[in-house]
Amino acid sequence: MLMEKLVSLCKRRGFLFQSSEIYGGLNGFWDYGPLGVELKRNIKEAWWRDTVLAHDELSVPEGAPEAYQMVGLDTSIIMHPQVWKCSGHYDLFHDYMVDCRETKRRYRYDQVRGRWVEAKGQRIFVSTTAEPEEEAADTEARALKFFKLRPKDAAQLKWDPEFLSLPQVKDLSLVLGPDATTLGTLTEPREFNLMFKTTVGALGGEEDVAFLRPETAQGIFVNFKNVLDSTRVKIPFGIAQIGKSFRNEITPRYFTFRSREFEQMEIEFFCHPESSQLWYRYWRDRRLRWYVSLGLASEKLRLREHSPAELSHYSTGTADIEYAFPFLPPGEFGELEGIAHRGDFDLRSHMEGKLDEKTRPLRVELGPDGKPKWPGSGRDLTYFDEDAWERDREKLGVKSFKEYIEKRKGEEKPGWPYQYVPHVVEPSAGTDRAALAFLCEAYAEDEAPDENGVPQKRVVLRLHPRIAPIKAAVLPLVRKDGMPEIARDIYRALKPRIATFYDEKGAIGRRYRRQDEAGTPFCVTVDGQTLEDRTVTIRDRDTLKQWRVKVDDVVEEIVRRVT
Ligand code: GAP
């Protein structure tokens, strides 16, 4: 219910539109409208400011093992196809899907749910892809049809109490597909690679095939050496990137939650293997605090540490920051951000060749000819700790690092502890999911008095001022007596500093409510008293409190409250 209202508000007020709507839309793609684009930009700017721009590399942040540096990157969406072969995406980035032989529809295997039912001596599994609140009604209607029963005979259907997902059903011949009318029409699950293919260049042959990136992270890994060589960063340091990613999701759903084109805000944090666990914990806790600081303070936000069984084989820790989105069944949470300890998996893969997921310690995966299946770049992506080397070289009694390595020839890591492949901690967030969570959290309905003091129902987006699309609206009470002139001057003074909206049309109560729906935290009103004492009222969207401020102080007062 909340979701329907939010979706309608988003369209009505210009937060989000379906992509190519005038042509019927394209599933899994969304356009941000005039208010939505500001919300999204503010989220990205808050993230960039908090992680890169305002980062103080001279101090040790709370919870961090030591001070560190942060830099940014903006890498291309289409990269050399070998990137995806070495990263593992080419071989492994897939979901399982099932096809329906009857309806020719395709479903994501793990997203089909359903329940067992028995009637007329036959037990079948009725599956569905309906939203959680409609699952029961949908499965009942289809079971009635299948068993040729009328609604008044619904008591003849003997249901198992709980809903299961399709992977929990062993025999697909007993399954009634989500849109099918006969049993056993779903195929066995098959792999489906999620990367979008494209071709680069005019020829368009197989050798020109490239991929739209499914994550921004790989652009960072392949530039690791460039950043080291072109800046003075030293380990520990992080590289941040914001950008579009693309995944050909089998079933995009839940508004923007699972889209085919979306934005990510990712950090690859490079550190010494011995302190990587401390850094993992630092980033995990710090990233959770970021969402809280921007308004996701409720019990709907949680940090979920992955169990050992869920971890990828090379990861020694992964946690998800999750939010209980209103479209999910009660008690379920959706991922906003993953924080993963990735070890040296990515840098080694791009150096040596794709690593074999099944080996431990990880070794390069070999093809039938005994050579690396997907050869790496061959570039040296190790890190040399010059400071530590300079500190120790004399006491080690060697003339050069070359001599040091030669002496340790045959050891697994001859350059250790001065030369090593850094470990990586990766906080990887989705901008669109963050925007959706902030909108869900902000949506509220309450009452506010109109211009006559009569309480009126209102919809309000209680967005944190930092991410609100408009920070202040300037409203002359009436369009006469010199009020618009004063209001316009205030608007002109505010506009260069913060996103400000000017509105002089309609009853003041209606104008307030329009701003409440847009999430504008403050309204500045020029009224009769302004003409006498040059003060205006400031109205707080959430508390509805109003107070008077001198015209000359308005800009500072508002700017202070929203930044
Ligand atoms: N580099 C690691 C990585 O990409 P991920 O868990 O696949 O990890 C990170 O994605 C974040 O990107 C997710 O937590 C989510 O916020 C966002 N994301 C992933 N797939 C998405 C999709 N189809 N639509 C919207 N956001 C998505």
Side-chain angles (χ1 to χ4, degrees), residues 268-296:
E268 303 305 325
F269 191 79
F270 301 94
C271 56
H272 194 282
E274 281 175 352
S275 55
S276 58
Q277 279 301 328
L278 297 176
W279 285 111
Y280 165 67
R281 272 176 253 143
Y282 164 71
W283 279 109
R284 184 195 60 186
D285 299 346
R286 173 164 172 188
R287 291 300 306 142
L288 182 71
R289 287 202 302 274
W290 187 78
Y291 291 97
V292 174
S293 76
L294 287 178
L296 288 198

Side-chain angles (χ1 to χ4, degrees), residues 146 181 233 267 311 447 469 499:
F146 178 84
T181 53
V233 287
I267 299 169
L311 290 178
E447 287 189 343

Side-chain angles (χ1 to χ4, degrees), residues 11 93 155 190 350 452 514 517 550:
K11 182 166 165 107
F93 194 55
R190 281 184 291 143
H350 287 303
N452 304 315
R514 271 188 72 76
E517 267 195 351
K550 287 197 189 112

Side-chain angles (χ1 to χ4, degrees), residues 108-286:
R108 212 174 106 172
Y109 185 42
D110 61 344
Q111 281 174 0
V112 179
R113 284 162 50 87
R115 51 181 177 156
W116 288 100
V117 64
E118 197 171 327
K120 299 185 174 176
Q122 193 180 8
R123 185 170 156 79
I124 67 166
F125 184 83
V126 186
S127 70
T128 177
T129 51
E131 301 295 320
E133 63 274 16
E134 285 152 20
E135 278 177 340
D138 184 60
T139 45
E140 180 172 298
R142 294 184 43 251
L144 287 171
K145 217 165 172 186
F146 178 84
F147 287 111
K148 298 193 172 51
L149 291 170
R150 283 173 298 182
K152 70 178 174 61
D153 300 322
Q156 289 186 38
L157 298 171
K158 301 286 173 241
W159 293 100
D160 276 13
E162 82 273 40
F163 274 83
L164 306 174
S165 71
L166 197 55
Q168 291 170 278
V169 178
K170 290 212 173 62
D171 186 353
L172 289 183
S173 71
L174 301 178
V175 174
L176 182 65
D179 300 285
T181 53
T182 48
L183 280 188
T185 59
L186 295 183
T187 60
E188 286 299 319
R190 281 184 291 143
E191 286 173 3
F192 174 79
N193 195 293
L194 299 183
M195 284 197 294
F196 278 103
K197 263 190 192 172
T198 185
T199 46
V200 175
L203 295 176
E206 250 324 283
E207 62 280 14
D208 296 328
V209 165
F211 303 94
L212 304 192
R213 68 178 176 204
E215 60 170 25
T216 62
Q218 297 304 322
I220 300 180
F221 292 125
V222 299
N223 276 292
F224 170 71
K225 206 68 178 173
N226 282 338
V227 172
L228 270 188
D229 293 346
S230 60
T231 67
R232 290 166 61 189
V233 287
K234 288 183 175 169
I235 271 179
F237 70 92
I239 305 180
Q241 165 153 244
I242 298 180
K244 290 256 178 162
S245 292
F246 303 81
R247 297 183 188 177
N248 197 3
E249 299 282 358
I250 301 166
T251 42
R253 65 199 302 205
Y254 298 145
F255 206 13
T256 57
F257 181 81
R258 182 166 294 109
S259 309
R260 289 177 164 144
E261 175 178 339
F262 55 95
E263 255 178 305
Q264 290 186 307
M265 308 183 288
E266 297 200 288
I267 299 169
E268 303 305 325
F269 191 79
F270 301 94
C271 56
H272 194 282
E274 281 175 352
S275 55
S276 58
Q277 279 301 328
L278 297 176
W279 285 111
Y280 165 67
R281 272 176 253 143
Y282 164 71
W283 279 109
R284 184 195 60 186
D285 299 346
R286 173 164 172 188

Side-chain angles (χ1 to χ4, degrees), residues 19-181:
S19 163
S20 336
E21 198 189 53
I22 60 167
Y23 288 105
L26 187 61
N27 202 4
F29 297 91
W30 296 92
D31 296 336
Y32 285 78
L35 287 181
V37 67
E38 298 302 337
L39 170 68
K40 201 173 172 195
R41 279 170 53 94
N42 292 341
I43 292 170
K44 289 188 283 185
E45 272 170 29
W47 184 89
W48 193 262
R49 170 152 288 281
D50 294 347
T51 55
V52 184
L53 276 189
H55 172 66
D56 168 7
E57 58 187 48
L58 304 179
S59 311
V60 181
E62 188 196 329
E66 58 186 300
Y68 62 89
Q69 292 168 286
M70 286 295 302
V71 292
L73 271 184
D74 184 7
T75 70
S76 64
I77 284 170
I78 296 177
M79 297 197 274
H80 194 293
Q82 197 68 9
V83 169
W84 307 110
K85 292 179 177 159
C86 289
S87 69
H89 287 83
Y90 187 78
D91 288 343
L92 302 166
F93 194 55
H94 48 240
D95 276 338
Y96 284 93
M97 51 158 199
V98 287
D99 286 319
C100 178
R101 285 181 280 257
E102 181 189 323
T103 62
K104 309 286 176 248
R105 295 214 178 146
R106 176 167 286 182
Y107 309 95
R108 212 174 106 172
Y109 185 42
D110 61 344
Q111 281 174 0
V112 179
R113 284 162 50 87
R115 51 181 177 156
W116 288 100
V117 64
E118 197 171 327
K120 299 185 174 176
Q122 193 180 8
R123 185 170 156 79
I124 67 166
F125 184 83
V126 186
S127 70
T128 177
T129 51
E131 301 295 320
E133 63 274 16
E134 285 152 20
E135 278 177 340
D138 184 60
T139 45
E140 180 172 298
R142 294 184 43 251
L144 287 171
K145 217 165 172 186
F146 178 84
F147 287 111
K148 298 193 172 51
L149 291 170
R150 283 173 298 182
K152 70 178 174 61
D153 300 322
Q156 289 186 38
L157 298 171
K158 301 286 173 241
W159 293 100
D160 276 13
E162 82 273 40
F163 274 83
L164 306 174
S165 71
L166 197 55
Q168 291 170 278
V169 178
K170 290 212 173 62
D171 186 353
L172 289 183
S173 71
L174 301 178
V175 174
L176 182 65
D179 300 285
T181 53

Side-chain angles (χ1 to χ4, degrees), residues 82 86 349-354 372-378:
Q82 197 68 9
C86 289
S349 294
H350 287 303
M351 190 162 55
E352 303 166 23
K354 181 188 168 275
K373 182 179 178 199
W374 303 119
S377 65

Side-chain angles (χ1 to χ4, degrees), residues 393-420:
R393 62 185 295 176
E394 263 183 42
K395 72 170 184 243
L396 289 166
V398 284
K399 284 196 208 77
S400 65
F401 186 61
K402 203 169 157 205
E403 189 186 330
Y404 175 79
I405 293 186
E406 254 154 37
K407 274 190 164 175
R408 292 163 50 98
K409 221 175 185 170
E411 288 189 22
E412 205 191 318
K413 293 177 185 169
W416 182 264
Y418 308 105
Q419 187 180 38
Y420 56 87

